[in-house]
């Protein structure tokens, strides 16, 4: 119960349809945090998927709420953070887990696809940090976990330039 009575907001807490493995990072972290005693605000673009995560947590006796949020929309991120503080009064842990990789390099990707991937994988992390940090500073404590990828450090054998760039940016934002 290392997280007993802690409040965690997890962006990307749902499960992409047909995602392999059967349980992704966001859902796994949500379940683990709840098993360790945290109250979890499960945030995902797909509300039904976040609600499935909440149901799994509640089935194990944990406490959780779900909210829909597109991390590329600042007002959505603000609303998710506000919902968490309205419900439990604070945020002890911010966990940024959203990620997606569009295939293609500079020759194949359109500028709009490039920008969408940067917004989803990097700007969403920035927005969540931007709006959670003032609360944590006011509280005098808090933890932020930004999930990146080995792709942010090196070529992994896949042609997804925007993902490499965005995850490298997450690494630098987190330093």
């Amino acid at each position: 119960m290392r997280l007993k009575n802690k409040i965690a907001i997890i962006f990307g807490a749902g499960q992409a349809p047909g995602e392999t493995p059967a349980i992704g990072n966001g859902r796994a972290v949500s379940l683990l945090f709840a098993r360790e005693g945290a109250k979890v605000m499960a945030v995902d673009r797909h509300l039904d998927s976040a609600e499935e995560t909440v149901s799994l947590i509640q089935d194990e006796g944990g406490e959780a709420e779900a909210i829909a949020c597109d991390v590329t929309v600042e007002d959505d991120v603000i609303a998710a953070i506000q919902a968490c503080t309205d419900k439990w009064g604070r945020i002890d842990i911010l966990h940024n887990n959203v990620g997606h990789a569009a295939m293609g390099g500079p020759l194949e990707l359109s500028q709009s696809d490039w920008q969408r991937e940067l917004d989803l994988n990097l700007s969403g992390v920035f927005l969540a940090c931007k709006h959670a940090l003032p609360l944590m500073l006011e509280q005098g404590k808090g933890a932020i976990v930004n999930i990146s990828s080995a792709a942010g450090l090196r070529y992994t054998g896949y042609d997804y330039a925007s993902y490499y760039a965005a995850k490298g940016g997450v690494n630098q934002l987190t330093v």
Side-chain angles (χ1 to χ4, degrees):
M1 300 301 282
R2 294 176 291 171
L3 300 178
K4 186 173 175 72
N5 298 320
K6 298 292 185 186
I7 309 302
I9 184 167
I10 301 172
F11 285 86
Q15 187 79 16
E19 185 173 359
T20 305
I23 186 166
N25 290 342
R27 183 166 284 170
V29 165
S30 298
L31 288 164
L32 179 61
F33 281 15
R35 288 173 185 159
E36 290 292 332
K39 296 175 179 132
V40 174
M41 180 61 69
V43 183
D44 201 273
R45 182 170 47 129
H46 301 288
L47 182 58
D48 58 336
S49 188
E51 288 171 338
E52 288 174 16
T53 300
V54 166
S55 191
L56 291 169
I57 290 169
Q58 291 171 341
D59 287 349
E60 294 183 4
E63 188 174 348
E65 293 283 329
I67 188 166
C69 172
D70 179 340
V71 297
T72 69
V73 178
E74 187 170 19
D75 287 343
D76 280 11
V77 174
I78 292 168
I81 289 169
Q82 187 65 53
C84 188
T85 58
D86 286 350
K87 175 73 178 172
W88 292 302
R90 66 183 196 278
I91 295 174
D92 299 309
I93 304 163
L94 166 63
H95 191 278
N96 288 306
N97 182 69
V98 174
H100 180 267
M103 296 305 287
L107 297 177
E108 297 84 18
L109 284 171
S110 67
Q111 183 179 1
S112 63
D113 288 342
W114 168 266
Q115 191 61 56
R116 173 74 182 158
E117 293 299 305
L118 291 180
D119 289 345
L120 184 65
N121 290 296
L122 177 57
S123 296
V125 173
F126 164 77
L127 289 172
C129 290
K130 176 179 180 57
H131 295 291
L133 272 168
L135 302 168
M136 291 177 171
L137 289 170
E138 186 178 311
Q139 295 165 183
K141 62 183 176 178
I144 298 175
V145 179
N146 295 327
I147 301 301
S148 182
S149 169
L153 301 172
R154 62 176 173 75
Y155 179 71
T156 62
Y158 297 98
D159 187 21
Y160 40 55
S162 57
Y163 187 74
Y164 291 116
K167 291 303 183 176
V170 169
N171 293 342
Q172 292 303 309
L173 177 63
T174 304
V175 175

